[in-house]
């Protein structure tokens, strides 16, 4: 699972680039990230495997089909007290916010909040699978 998280985190700069909802050519992306166009294509496949809808148009490029607004601590913290700011931690991807906090039980302060843009091992009610696409909801 940790390897899966590392792969996803390596894709975050590409997600940031594609989050403007504009098309970017494979050539432009390859040049920006210093990799081949084939490597860009492979990264697009990885993004799709993580549930991110990629739209591609021949001779135009790639974009994320539905705009993603990333969680930005700097935009959230003005609405929180200093104490609340200190107890909030944002993750782009996490196994499970609940499990991560339970694993730290006894070593964290009361009121600690983990917020994630995607959970890959979250649980629903009665053991049901919990699907949490990246950048679509808040998971905390």
């Amino acid at each position: 699972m940790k390897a899966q998280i590392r792969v996803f985190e390596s894709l975050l700069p590409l997600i940031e680039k594609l989050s403007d909802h504009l098309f970017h050519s494979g050539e432009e992306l390859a040049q920006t990230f210093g990799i081949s166009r084939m490597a860009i294509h492979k990264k697009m496949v990885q993004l799709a495997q993580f549930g991110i809808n990629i739209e591609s148009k021949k001779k135009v490029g790639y974009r994320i089909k539905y705009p993603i607004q990333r969680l930005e601590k700097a935009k959230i913290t003005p609405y929180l007290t200093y104490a609340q700011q200190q107890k909030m931690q944002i993750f782009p991807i996490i196994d499970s916010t609940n499990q991560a906090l339970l694993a730290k039980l006894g070593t964290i302060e009361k009121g600690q909040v983990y917020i994630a843009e995607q959970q890959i091992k979250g649980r629903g009610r009665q053991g049901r699978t919990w699907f949490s696409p990246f950048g679509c909801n808040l998971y905390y």
Side-chain angles (χ1 to χ4, degrees), residues 25-58:
S25 72
E27 185 176 324
E28 170 199 343
L29 294 170
Q31 191 172 30
T32 298
F33 295 105
I35 57 178
S36 70
R37 288 173 66 184
M38 180 53 93
I40 289 295
H41 174 74
K42 288 179 182 178
K43 288 187 180 293
M44 295 302 164
V45 170
Q46 288 176 319
L47 288 174
Q49 289 171 342
F50 280 102
I52 296 175
N53 290 311
I54 300 297
E55 183 177 6
S56 64
K57 287 190 177 180
K58 204 171 197 165

Side-chain angles (χ1 to χ4, degrees), residues 61-109:
Y62 302 97
R63 72 176 181 175
I64 294 177
K65 193 169 186 175
Y66 304 105
I68 292 175
Q69 184 176 0
R70 300 281 317 276
L71 291 175
E72 296 179 47
K73 194 169 189 170
K75 288 184 177 180
I76 298 169
T77 55
Y79 300 98
L80 304 173
T81 67
Y82 179 78
Q84 290 169 330
Q85 292 173 27
Q86 300 310 303
K87 293 179 181 181
M88 177 187 69
Q89 191 168 351
I90 298 174
F91 298 87
I93 186 170
I94 196 167
D95 289 344
S96 162
T97 53
N98 191 40
Q99 288 300 322
L101 283 168
L102 285 173
K104 298 213 179 229
L105 207 57
T107 63
I108 56 173
E109 290 184 44

